[in-house]
Amino acid sequence: MTMFGTNQLLVDKHVEFIQNLDKKQDGLEYWMTEHLRVSGIYWGLVALFLLDRPQALDHEQIISYVRGCQNADGGFGGHTHHDSHLLYTMSSVQILSMLNALDQIDGKKVTKYVLSLQQTNKQTNGQTTVCGDVWGEHDTRFAFIAMAVLSFFNTQDQLDTNGIVEYIRGAMNYDGGFGSKPGGESHAAQVYTCVAALAVAGRLDVVDRDRLSGWLAERQLLCGGMNGRPQKLEDVCYAWWVGSALDILRRRHWISAEKLVEFVVSAQDEKGGIADRPGDVADVYHTCFGIAGLSLVRYPGLNEVDPVYCMPRSVVRRLGLHKWQDNVPESWSQ
């Protein structure tokens, strides 16, 4: 019996669920989600690595496929012959890193692509934004992704880090949370991207730690699950978005791990996979972030996940990316 009682994670069923995802090609859903193919591989692979079943998928096949998603501009699309986007570029780099194959792509081309999406607006107090693709949408997600992706290639010093930090500071609200851009409502997923970006940049001093930790802790509801903002339903994925930010802030103990585990486990499908909440249909996205959330609270048998890069800590250490921890203020350890 562990501190989590009898709440059992259906490991073998989840592995089988992930293995079967690419075998359902006769269904409409498979083709309707073609643009998410790279994301799906990343979600599945993270779950398998944390479950300590990394060999459950064919690594060489994955590497070949992901390399085929890289475009001439250096970025990656969500599927072969799809336009490049930062979201899929990040997932592709993470996939190749986990499979120890990052040297099979040209890091200089990836760096050039990311840098091409950086924009400095002199009318916004020196804030620098990063677009998701050539069409110009920008928010705090892409600011984080730009810094994270370039850190894999040790080229993040080519970004206007100070300008990006000012953009993130501008997205911070009175409640301590962060929105998708300055003026946007605080949202747990955006909080993760902003706090993680500041961790990579070595600027966690920007965060109002106590106020933000309180706001994040309030996301846990009586059922044990968490929501992304006030007055919203609980959702398994926030076990990651909320939990990772609290972990970086060294405030993971501000929530009930036992209640969170109870909620995530209750959202499992007996045939494999985890849904957003009990009774709904399981999918690989919630399976990934549900398991990652359990890893954050040290669910027994799971490999530890890094709260910044959402990959196993062992991979992050191998790449030398664990150095973000040196940027955490010493006073936070108290």
Side-chain angles (χ1 to χ4, degrees), residues 214-249:
W215 187 87
L216 288 167
E218 289 176 350
R219 304 279 61 76
Q220 187 167 40
L221 306 178
L222 292 176
C223 65
M226 299 175 176
N227 59 22
R229 49 197 170 118
Q231 305 302 315
K232 295 296 181 179
L233 292 176
E234 65 278 0
D235 189 314
V236 160
C237 70
Y238 293 111
W240 167 256
W241 303 119
V242 174
S244 57
L246 283 172
D247 196 288
I248 298 169
L249 295 169

PDB file of all heavy atoms in Angstrom, residues 214-249:
ATOM      1  N   GLY A 214      -0.766  30.723  -4.988  1.00  0.00           N
ATOM      2  CA  GLY A 214      -2.114  30.686  -4.438  1.00  0.00           C
ATOM      3  C   GLY A 214      -3.161  30.516  -5.511  1.00  0.00           C
ATOM      4  O   GLY A 214      -4.114  29.733  -5.358  1.00  0.00           O
ATOM      5  N   TRP A 215      -2.999  31.245  -6.618  1.00  0.00           N
ATOM      6  CA  TRP A 215      -3.950  31.138  -7.732  1.00  0.00           C
ATOM      7  C   TRP A 215      -3.944  29.727  -8.303  1.00  0.00           C
ATOM      8  O   TRP A 215      -5.009  29.148  -8.600  1.00  0.00           O
ATOM      9  CB  TRP A 215      -3.594  32.154  -8.815  1.00  0.00           C
ATOM     10  CG  TRP A 215      -4.586  32.244  -9.932  1.00  0.00           C
ATOM     11  CD1 TRP A 215      -5.710  33.024  -9.996  1.00  0.00           C
ATOM     12  CD2 TRP A 215      -4.549  31.509 -11.173  1.00  0.00           C
ATOM     13  NE1 TRP A 215      -6.372  32.829 -11.188  1.00  0.00           N
ATOM     14  CE2 TRP A 215      -5.682  31.900 -11.932  1.00  0.00           C
ATOM     15  CE3 TRP A 215      -3.670  30.577 -11.708  1.00  0.00           C
ATOM     16  CZ2 TRP A 215      -5.950  31.386 -13.188  1.00  0.00           C
ATOM     17  CZ3 TRP A 215      -3.948  30.049 -12.961  1.00  0.00           C
ATOM     18  CH2 TRP A 215      -5.079  30.455 -13.693  1.00  0.00           C
ATOM     19  N   LEU A 216      -2.771  29.145  -8.451  1.00  0.00           N
ATOM     20  CA  LEU A 216      -2.662  27.789  -8.983  1.00  0.00           C
ATOM     21  C   LEU A 216      -3.274  26.768  -8.027  1.00  0.00           C
ATOM     22  O   LEU A 216      -3.980  25.850  -8.460  1.00  0.00           O
ATOM     23  CB  LEU A 216      -1.195  27.450  -9.243  1.00  0.00           C
ATOM     24  CG  LEU A 216      -0.547  28.154 -10.434  1.00  0.00           C
ATOM     25  CD1 LEU A 216       0.972  27.990 -10.391  1.00  0.00           C
ATOM     26  CD2 LEU A 216      -1.093  27.622 -11.757  1.00  0.00           C
ATOM     27  N   ALA A 217      -3.009  26.917  -6.741  1.00  0.00           N
ATOM     28  CA  ALA A 217      -3.553  25.977  -5.763  1.00  0.00           C
ATOM     29  C   ALA A 217      -5.079  26.004  -5.760  1.00  0.00           C
ATOM     30  O   ALA A 217      -5.732  24.972  -5.537  1.00  0.00           O
ATOM     31  CB  ALA A 217      -3.015  26.291  -4.372  1.00  0.00           C
ATOM     32  N   GLU A 218      -5.655  27.169  -6.022  1.00  0.00           N
ATOM     33  CA  GLU A 218      -7.112  27.296  -6.067  1.00  0.00           C
ATOM     34  C   GLU A 218      -7.728  26.608  -7.276  1.00  0.00           C
ATOM     35  O   GLU A 218      -8.952  26.467  -7.355  1.00  0.00           O
ATOM     36  CB  GLU A 218      -7.498  28.775  -6.071  1.00  0.00           C
ATOM     37  CG  GLU A 218      -7.250  29.470  -4.745  1.00  0.00           C
ATOM     38  CD  GLU A 218      -7.555  30.955  -4.804  1.00  0.00           C
ATOM     39  OE1 GLU A 218      -7.772  31.469  -5.929  1.00  0.00           O
ATOM     40  OE2 GLU A 218      -7.573  31.593  -3.747  1.00  0.00           O
ATOM     41  N   ARG A 219      -6.923  26.146  -8.194  1.00  0.00           N
ATOM     42  CA  ARG A 219      -7.444  25.438  -9.354  1.00  0.00           C
ATOM     43  C   ARG A 219      -7.887  24.017  -9.000  1.00  0.00           C
ATOM     44  O   ARG A 219      -8.592  23.367  -9.765  1.00  0.00           O
ATOM     45  CB  ARG A 219      -6.387  25.380 -10.475  1.00  0.00           C
ATOM     46  CG  ARG A 219      -5.854  26.743 -10.906  1.00  0.00           C
ATOM     47  CD  ARG A 219      -6.782  27.474 -11.890  1.00  0.00           C
ATOM     48  NE  ARG A 219      -8.085  27.759 -11.373  1.00  0.00           N
ATOM     49  CZ  ARG A 219      -8.364  28.749 -10.487  1.00  0.00           C
ATOM     50  NH1 ARG A 219      -7.402  29.534 -10.037  1.00  0.00           N
ATOM     51  NH2 ARG A 219      -9.597  28.968 -10.081  1.00  0.00           N
ATOM     52  N   GLN A 220      -7.440  23.500  -7.844  1.00  0.00           N
ATOM     53  CA  GLN A 220      -7.867  22.160  -7.438  1.00  0.00           C
ATOM     54  C   GLN A 220      -9.251  22.232  -6.810  1.00  0.00           C
ATOM     55  O   GLN A 220      -9.496  23.000  -5.880  1.00  0.00           O
ATOM     56  CB  GLN A 220      -6.873  21.526  -6.463  1.00  0.00           C
ATOM     57  CG  GLN A 220      -7.198  20.067  -6.166  1.00  0.00           C
ATOM     58  CD  GLN A 220      -6.065  19.339  -5.469  1.00  0.00           C
ATOM     59  OE1 GLN A 220      -5.407  19.893  -4.597  1.00  0.00           O
ATOM     60  NE2 GLN A 220      -5.837  18.094  -5.857  1.00  0.00           N
ATOM     61  N   LEU A 221     -10.165  21.409  -7.325  1.00  0.00           N
ATOM     62  CA  LEU A 221     -11.551  21.392  -6.870  1.00  0.00           C
ATOM     63  C   LEU A 221     -11.774  20.268  -5.859  1.00  0.00           C
ATOM     64  O   LEU A 221     -10.885  19.455  -5.603  1.00  0.00           O
ATOM     65  CB  LEU A 221     -12.469  21.234  -8.073  1.00  0.00           C
ATOM     66  CG  LEU A 221     -12.262  22.270  -9.201  1.00  0.00           C
ATOM     67  CD1 LEU A 221     -13.194  21.983 -10.372  1.00  0.00           C
ATOM     68  CD2 LEU A 221     -12.453  23.683  -8.683  1.00  0.00           C
ATOM     69  N   LEU A 222     -12.960  20.214  -5.297  1.00  0.00           N
ATOM     70  CA  LEU A 222     -13.252  19.223  -4.271  1.00  0.00           C
ATOM     71  C   LEU A 222     -13.101  17.793  -4.772  1.00  0.00           C
ATOM     72  O   LEU A 222     -12.766  16.883  -4.007  1.00  0.00           O
ATOM     73  CB  LEU A 222     -14.677  19.436  -3.730  1.00  0.00           C
ATOM     74  CG  LEU A 222     -14.904  20.726  -2.927  1.00  0.00           C
ATOM     75  CD1 LEU A 222     -16.370  20.847  -2.544  1.00  0.00           C
ATOM     76  CD2 LEU A 222     -14.019  20.744  -1.691  1.00  0.00           C
ATOM     77  N   CYS A 223     -13.300  17.582  -6.060  1.00  0.00           N
ATOM     78  CA  CYS A 223     -13.179  16.244  -6.634  1.00  0.00           C
ATOM     79  C   CYS A 223     -11.729  15.801  -6.756  1.00  0.00           C
ATOM     80  O   CYS A 223     -11.456  14.638  -7.071  1.00  0.00           O
ATOM     81  CB  CYS A 223     -13.848  16.184  -8.004  1.00  0.00           C
ATOM     82  SG  CYS A 223     -13.052  17.236  -9.242  1.00  0.00           S
ATOM     83  N   GLY A 224     -10.797  16.731  -6.536  1.00  0.00           N
ATOM     84  CA  GLY A 224      -9.377  16.417  -6.653  1.00  0.00           C
ATOM     85  C   GLY A 224      -8.785  16.855  -7.974  1.00  0.00           C
ATOM     86  O   GLY A 224      -7.576  17.040  -8.084  1.00  0.00           O
ATOM     87  N   GLY A 225      -9.648  16.990  -8.997  1.00  0.00           N
ATOM     88  CA  GLY A 225      -9.179  17.463 -10.294  1.00  0.00           C
ATOM     89  C   GLY A 225      -8.955  18.959 -10.296  1.00  0.00           C
ATOM     90  O   GLY A 225      -9.284  19.660  -9.337  1.00  0.00           O
ATOM     91  N   MET A 226      -8.414  19.466 -11.377  1.00  0.00           N
ATOM     92  CA  MET A 226      -8.102  20.888 -11.486  1.00  0.00           C
ATOM     93  C   MET A 226      -8.752  21.495 -12.712  1.00  0.00           C
ATOM     94  O   MET A 226      -8.988  20.805 -13.715  1.00  0.00           O
ATOM     95  CB  MET A 226      -6.588  21.079 -11.567  1.00  0.00           C
ATOM     96  CG  MET A 226      -5.832  20.573 -10.359  1.00  0.00           C
ATOM     97  SD  MET A 226      -4.052  20.718 -10.624  1.00  0.00           S
ATOM     98  CE  MET A 226      -3.464  20.165  -9.016  1.00  0.00           C
ATOM     99  N   ASN A 227      -9.012  22.791 -12.635  1.00  0.00           N
ATOM    100  CA  ASN A 227      -9.474  23.515 -13.813  1.00  0.00           C
ATOM    101  C   ASN A 227      -8.409  24.507 -14.267  1.00  0.00           C
ATOM    102  O   ASN A 227      -7.422  24.743 -13.564  1.00  0.00           O
ATOM    103  CB  ASN A 227     -10.814  24.208 -13.568  1.00  0.00           C
ATOM    104  CG  ASN A 227     -10.773  25.215 -12.423  1.00  0.00           C
ATOM    105  OD1 ASN A 227      -9.716  25.722 -12.039  1.00  0.00           O
ATOM    106  ND2 ASN A 227     -11.946  25.549 -11.882  1.00  0.00           N
ATOM    107  N   GLY A 228      -8.626  25.094 -15.429  1.00  0.00           N
ATOM    108  CA  GLY A 228      -7.635  26.008 -15.981  1.00  0.00           C
ATOM    109  C   GLY A 228      -7.832  27.448 -15.582  1.00  0.00           C
ATOM    110  O   GLY A 228      -6.914  28.262 -15.661  1.00  0.00           O
ATOM    111  N   ARG A 229      -9.043  27.776 -15.135  1.00  0.00           N
ATOM    112  CA  ARG A 229      -9.366  29.122 -14.669  1.00  0.00           C
ATOM    113  C   ARG A 229     -10.646  29.033 -13.844  1.00  0.00           C
ATOM    114  O   ARG A 229     -11.360  28.023 -13.906  1.00  0.00           O
ATOM    115  CB  ARG A 229      -9.506  30.095 -15.837  1.00  0.00           C
ATOM    116  CG  ARG A 229     -10.381  29.625 -16.977  1.00  0.00           C
ATOM    117  CD  ARG A 229     -10.145  30.431 -18.249  1.00  0.00           C
ATOM    118  NE  ARG A 229     -10.815  29.827 -19.378  1.00  0.00           N
ATOM    119  CZ  ARG A 229     -11.777  30.396 -20.095  1.00  0.00           C
ATOM    120  NH1 ARG A 229     -12.207  31.611 -19.787  1.00  0.00           N
ATOM    121  NH2 ARG A 229     -12.320  29.788 -21.133  1.00  0.00           N
ATOM    122  N   PRO A 230     -10.940  30.050 -13.057  1.00  0.00           N
ATOM    123  CA  PRO A 230     -12.106  29.989 -12.167  1.00  0.00           C
ATOM    124  C   PRO A 230     -13.421  29.706 -12.890  1.00  0.00           C
ATOM    125  O   PRO A 230     -13.621  30.118 -14.030  1.00  0.00           O
ATOM    126  CB  PRO A 230     -12.117  31.382 -11.525  1.00  0.00           C
ATOM    127  CG  PRO A 230     -10.684  31.822 -11.559  1.00  0.00           C
ATOM    128  CD  PRO A 230     -10.150  31.278 -12.855  1.00  0.00           C
ATOM    129  N   GLN A 231     -14.288  28.971 -12.213  1.00  0.00           N
ATOM    130  CA  GLN A 231     -15.640  28.664 -12.685  1.00  0.00           C
ATOM    131  C   GLN A 231     -15.680  27.712 -13.878  1.00  0.00           C
ATOM    132  O   GLN A 231     -16.692  27.640 -14.585  1.00  0.00           O
ATOM    133  CB  GLN A 231     -16.404  29.953 -13.031  1.00  0.00           C
ATOM    134  CG  GLN A 231     -16.465  30.971 -11.913  1.00  0.00           C
ATOM    135  CD  GLN A 231     -17.095  30.426 -10.653  1.00  0.00           C
ATOM    136  OE1 GLN A 231     -18.136  29.764 -10.703  1.00  0.00           O
ATOM    137  NE2 GLN A 231     -16.484  30.686  -9.501  1.00  0.00           N
ATOM    138  N   LYS A 232     -14.593  26.975 -14.107  1.00  0.00           N
ATOM    139  CA  LYS A 232     -14.560  25.983 -15.187  1.00  0.00           C
ATOM    140  C   LYS A 232     -14.524  24.580 -14.606  1.00  0.00           C
ATOM    141  O   LYS A 232     -14.186  24.377 -13.441  1.00  0.00           O
ATOM    142  CB  LYS A 232     -13.343  26.219 -16.087  1.00  0.00           C
ATOM    143  CG  LYS A 232     -13.381  27.539 -16.839  1.00  0.00           C
ATOM    144  CD  LYS A 232     -14.545  27.593 -17.820  1.00  0.00           C
ATOM    145  CE  LYS A 232     -14.566  28.896 -18.589  1.00  0.00           C
ATOM    146  NZ  LYS A 232     -15.674  28.951 -19.573  1.00  0.00           N
ATOM    147  N   LEU A 233     -14.866  23.599 -15.442  1.00  0.00           N
ATOM    148  CA  LEU A 233     -14.872  22.211 -14.998  1.00  0.00           C
ATOM    149  C   LEU A 233     -13.450  21.679 -14.825  1.00  0.00           C
ATOM    150  O   LEU A 233     -12.500  22.188 -15.429  1.00  0.00           O
ATOM    151  CB  LEU A 233     -15.611  21.342 -16.014  1.00  0.00           C
ATOM    152  CG  LEU A 233     -17.125  21.549 -16.147  1.00  0.00           C
ATOM    153  CD1 LEU A 233     -17.670  20.678 -17.273  1.00  0.00           C
ATOM    154  CD2 LEU A 233     -17.825  21.234 -14.830  1.00  0.00           C
ATOM    155  N   GLU A 234     -13.344  20.652 -14.011  1.00  0.00           N
ATOM    156  CA  GLU A 234     -12.064  19.971 -13.851  1.00  0.00           C
ATOM    157  C   GLU A 234     -11.698  19.241 -15.142  1.00  0.00           C
ATOM    158  O   GLU A 234     -12.574  18.842 -15.908  1.00  0.00           O
ATOM    159  CB  GLU A 234     -12.151  18.974 -12.688  1.00  0.00           C
ATOM    160  CG  GLU A 234     -13.111  17.816 -12.912  1.00  0.00           C
ATOM    161  CD  GLU A 234     -14.568  18.166 -12.628  1.00  0.00           C
ATOM    162  OE1 GLU A 234     -14.853  19.324 -12.245  1.00  0.00           O
ATOM    163  OE2 GLU A 234     -15.436  17.280 -12.790  1.00  0.00           O
ATOM    164  N   ASP A 235     -10.399  19.066 -15.372  1.00  0.00           N
ATOM    165  CA  ASP A 235      -9.917  18.408 -16.576  1.00  0.00           C
ATOM    166  C   ASP A 235      -8.566  17.772 -16.249  1.00  0.00           C
ATOM    167  O   ASP A 235      -7.702  18.423 -15.658  1.00  0.00           O
ATOM    168  CB  ASP A 235      -9.770  19.426 -17.719  1.00  0.00           C
ATOM    169  CG  ASP A 235      -9.478  18.782 -19.072  1.00  0.00           C
ATOM    170  OD1 ASP A 235      -8.599  17.895 -19.131  1.00  0.00           O
ATOM    171  OD2 ASP A 235     -10.100  19.182 -20.072  1.00  0.00           O
ATOM    172  N   VAL A 236      -8.406  16.522 -16.645  1.00  0.00           N
ATOM    173  CA  VAL A 236      -7.178  15.778 -16.349  1.00  0.00           C
ATOM    174  C   VAL A 236      -5.920  16.501 -16.815  1.00  0.00           C
ATOM    175  O   VAL A 236      -4.879  16.451 -16.146  1.00  0.00           O
ATOM    176  CB  VAL A 236      -7.253  14.369 -16.977  1.00  0.00           C
ATOM    177  CG1 VAL A 236      -5.866  13.755 -17.125  1.00  0.00           C
ATOM    178  CG2 VAL A 236      -8.133  13.454 -16.129  1.00  0.00           C
ATOM    179  N   CYS A 237      -5.977  17.184 -17.956  1.00  0.00           N
ATOM    180  CA  CYS A 237      -4.759  17.792 -18.490  1.00  0.00           C
ATOM    181  C   CYS A 237      -4.158  18.832 -17.556  1.00  0.00           C
ATOM    182  O   CYS A 237      -2.945  19.089 -17.581  1.00  0.00           O
ATOM    183  CB  CYS A 237      -5.000  18.394 -19.870  1.00  0.00           C
ATOM    184  SG  CYS A 237      -6.044  19.871 -19.901  1.00  0.00           S
ATOM    185  N   TYR A 238      -4.992  19.411 -16.681  1.00  0.00           N
ATOM    186  CA  TYR A 238      -4.465  20.432 -15.771  1.00  0.00           C
ATOM    187  C   TYR A 238      -3.647  19.832 -14.632  1.00  0.00           C
ATOM    188  O   TYR A 238      -2.984  20.568 -13.889  1.00  0.00           O
ATOM    189  CB  TYR A 238      -5.595  21.311 -15.246  1.00  0.00           C
ATOM    190  CG  TYR A 238      -6.189  22.142 -16.346  1.00  0.00           C
ATOM    191  CD1 TYR A 238      -7.475  21.895 -16.814  1.00  0.00           C
ATOM    192  CD2 TYR A 238      -5.433  23.129 -16.970  1.00  0.00           C
ATOM    193  CE1 TYR A 238      -8.003  22.621 -17.866  1.00  0.00           C
ATOM    194  CE2 TYR A 238      -5.949  23.861 -18.024  1.00  0.00           C
ATOM    195  CZ  TYR A 238      -7.236  23.608 -18.472  1.00  0.00           C
ATOM    196  OH  TYR A 238      -7.739  24.324 -19.524  1.00  0.00           O
ATOM    197  N   ALA A 239      -3.665  18.513 -14.521  1.00  0.00           N
ATOM    198  CA  ALA A 239      -2.723  17.869 -13.597  1.00  0.00           C
ATOM    199  C   ALA A 239      -1.307  18.218 -14.021  1.00  0.00           C
ATOM    200  O   ALA A 239      -0.401  18.332 -13.185  1.00  0.00           O
ATOM    201  CB  ALA A 239      -2.927  16.350 -13.615  1.00  0.00           C
ATOM    202  N   TRP A 240      -1.140  18.419 -15.349  1.00  0.00           N
ATOM    203  CA  TRP A 240       0.170  18.843 -15.859  1.00  0.00           C
ATOM    204  C   TRP A 240       0.315  20.353 -15.860  1.00  0.00           C
ATOM    205  O   TRP A 240       1.269  20.899 -15.318  1.00  0.00           O
ATOM    206  CB  TRP A 240       0.417  18.303 -17.273  1.00  0.00           C
ATOM    207  CG  TRP A 240       1.601  18.982 -17.906  1.00  0.00           C
ATOM    208  CD1 TRP A 240       1.577  19.959 -18.865  1.00  0.00           C
ATOM    209  CD2 TRP A 240       2.976  18.801 -17.571  1.00  0.00           C
ATOM    210  NE1 TRP A 240       2.850  20.390 -19.157  1.00  0.00           N
ATOM    211  CE2 TRP A 240       3.733  19.684 -18.373  1.00  0.00           C
ATOM    212  CE3 TRP A 240       3.649  17.966 -16.670  1.00  0.00           C
ATOM    213  CZ2 TRP A 240       5.112  19.760 -18.307  1.00  0.00           C
ATOM    214  CZ3 TRP A 240       5.034  18.042 -16.603  1.00  0.00           C
ATOM    215  CH2 TRP A 240       5.755  18.926 -17.407  1.00  0.00           C
ATOM    216  N   TRP A 241      -0.613  21.076 -16.471  1.00  0.00           N
ATOM    217  CA  TRP A 241      -0.448  22.517 -16.642  1.00  0.00           C
ATOM    218  C   TRP A 241      -0.327  23.244 -15.299  1.00  0.00           C
ATOM    219  O   TRP A 241       0.497  24.154 -15.150  1.00  0.00           O
ATOM    220  CB  TRP A 241      -1.615  23.104 -17.440  1.00  0.00           C
ATOM    221  CG  TRP A 241      -1.825  22.490 -18.787  1.00  0.00           C
ATOM    222  CD1 TRP A 241      -2.936  21.834 -19.232  1.00  0.00           C
ATOM    223  CD2 TRP A 241      -0.881  22.443 -19.876  1.00  0.00           C
ATOM    224  NE1 TRP A 241      -2.755  21.397 -20.520  1.00  0.00           N
ATOM    225  CE2 TRP A 241      -1.504  21.761 -20.941  1.00  0.00           C
ATOM    226  CE3 TRP A 241       0.414  22.911 -20.053  1.00  0.00           C
ATOM    227  CZ2 TRP A 241      -0.873  21.525 -22.156  1.00  0.00           C
ATOM    228  CZ3 TRP A 241       1.050  22.681 -21.273  1.00  0.00           C
ATOM    229  CH2 TRP A 241       0.398  21.999 -22.312  1.00  0.00           C
ATOM    230  N   VAL A 242      -1.131  22.840 -14.330  1.00  0.00           N
ATOM    231  CA  VAL A 242      -1.047  23.433 -12.990  1.00  0.00           C
ATOM    232  C   VAL A 242       0.135  22.845 -12.222  1.00  0.00           C
ATOM    233  O   VAL A 242       0.937  23.559 -11.618  1.00  0.00           O
ATOM    234  CB  VAL A 242      -2.350  23.212 -12.202  1.00  0.00           C
ATOM    235  CG1 VAL A 242      -2.203  23.700 -10.767  1.00  0.00           C
ATOM    236  CG2 VAL A 242      -3.520  23.927 -12.884  1.00  0.00           C
ATOM    237  N   GLY A 243       0.227  21.518 -12.259  1.00  0.00           N
ATOM    238  CA  GLY A 243       1.258  20.838 -11.486  1.00  0.00           C
ATOM    239  C   GLY A 243       2.672  21.213 -11.872  1.00  0.00           C
ATOM    240  O   GLY A 243       3.549  21.364 -11.003  1.00  0.00           O
ATOM    241  N   SER A 244       2.924  21.376 -13.175  1.00  0.00           N
ATOM    242  CA  SER A 244       4.278  21.711 -13.624  1.00  0.00           C
ATOM    243  C   SER A 244       4.689  23.095 -13.135  1.00  0.00           C
ATOM    244  O   SER A 244       5.829  23.299 -12.691  1.00  0.00           O
ATOM    245  CB  SER A 244       4.356  21.648 -15.153  1.00  0.00           C
ATOM    246  OG  SER A 244       3.398  22.512 -15.748  1.00  0.00           O
ATOM    247  N   ALA A 245       3.759  24.059 -13.210  1.00  0.00           N
ATOM    248  CA  ALA A 245       4.073  25.408 -12.749  1.00  0.00           C
ATOM    249  C   ALA A 245       4.356  25.414 -11.251  1.00  0.00           C
ATOM    250  O   ALA A 245       5.313  26.055 -10.780  1.00  0.00           O
ATOM    251  CB  ALA A 245       2.930  26.360 -13.087  1.00  0.00           C
ATOM    252  N   LEU A 246       3.550  24.686 -10.488  1.00  0.00           N
ATOM    253  CA  LEU A 246       3.774  24.600  -9.043  1.00  0.00           C
ATOM    254  C   LEU A 246       5.108  23.917  -8.740  1.00  0.00           C
ATOM    255  O   LEU A 246       5.799  24.272  -7.782  1.00  0.00           O
ATOM    256  CB  LEU A 246       2.641  23.839  -8.367  1.00  0.00           C
ATOM    257  CG  LEU A 246       1.337  24.612  -8.168  1.00  0.00           C
ATOM    258  CD1 LEU A 246       0.235  23.682  -7.669  1.00  0.00           C
ATOM    259  CD2 LEU A 246       1.533  25.770  -7.188  1.00  0.00           C
ATOM    260  N   ASP A 247       5.478  22.956  -9.553  1.00  0.00           N
ATOM    261  CA  ASP A 247       6.741  22.255  -9.354  1.00  0.00           C
ATOM    262  C   ASP A 247       7.916  23.204  -9.572  1.00  0.00           C
ATOM    263  O   ASP A 247       8.879  23.219  -8.785  1.00  0.00           O
ATOM    264  CB  ASP A 247       6.834  21.067 -10.308  1.00  0.00           C
ATOM    265  CG  ASP A 247       7.908  20.078  -9.905  1.00  0.00           C
ATOM    266  OD1 ASP A 247       9.093  20.400 -10.067  1.00  0.00           O
ATOM    267  OD2 ASP A 247       7.580  18.981  -9.416  1.00  0.00           O
ATOM    268  N   ILE A 248       7.862  24.006 -10.628  1.00  0.00           N
ATOM    269  CA  ILE A 248       8.923  24.983 -10.889  1.00  0.00           C
ATOM    270  C   ILE A 248       9.002  25.995  -9.754  1.00  0.00           C
ATOM    271  O   ILE A 248      10.095  26.409  -9.335  1.00  0.00           O
ATOM    272  CB  ILE A 248       8.685  25.702 -12.235  1.00  0.00           C
ATOM    273  CG1 ILE A 248       8.723  24.705 -13.400  1.00  0.00           C
ATOM    274  CG2 ILE A 248       9.725  26.808 -12.449  1.00  0.00           C
ATOM    275  CD1 ILE A 248       8.250  25.274 -14.719  1.00  0.00           C
ATOM    276  N   LEU A 249       7.835  26.373  -9.240  1.00  0.00           N
ATOM    277  CA  LEU A 249       7.762  27.347  -8.146  1.00  0.00           C
ATOM    278  C   LEU A 249       8.126  26.726  -6.795  1.00  0.00           C
ATOM    279  O   LEU A 249       8.155  27.440  -5.780  1.00  0.00           O
ATOM    280  CB  LEU A 249       6.351  27.935  -8.059  1.00  0.00           C
ATOM    281  CG  LEU A 249       5.880  28.771  -9.257  1.00  0.00           C
ATOM    282  CD1 LEU A 249       4.388  29.056  -9.141  1.00  0.00           C
ATOM    283  CD2 LEU A 249       6.669  30.067  -9.358  1.00  0.00           C
TER     284      LEU A 249
END
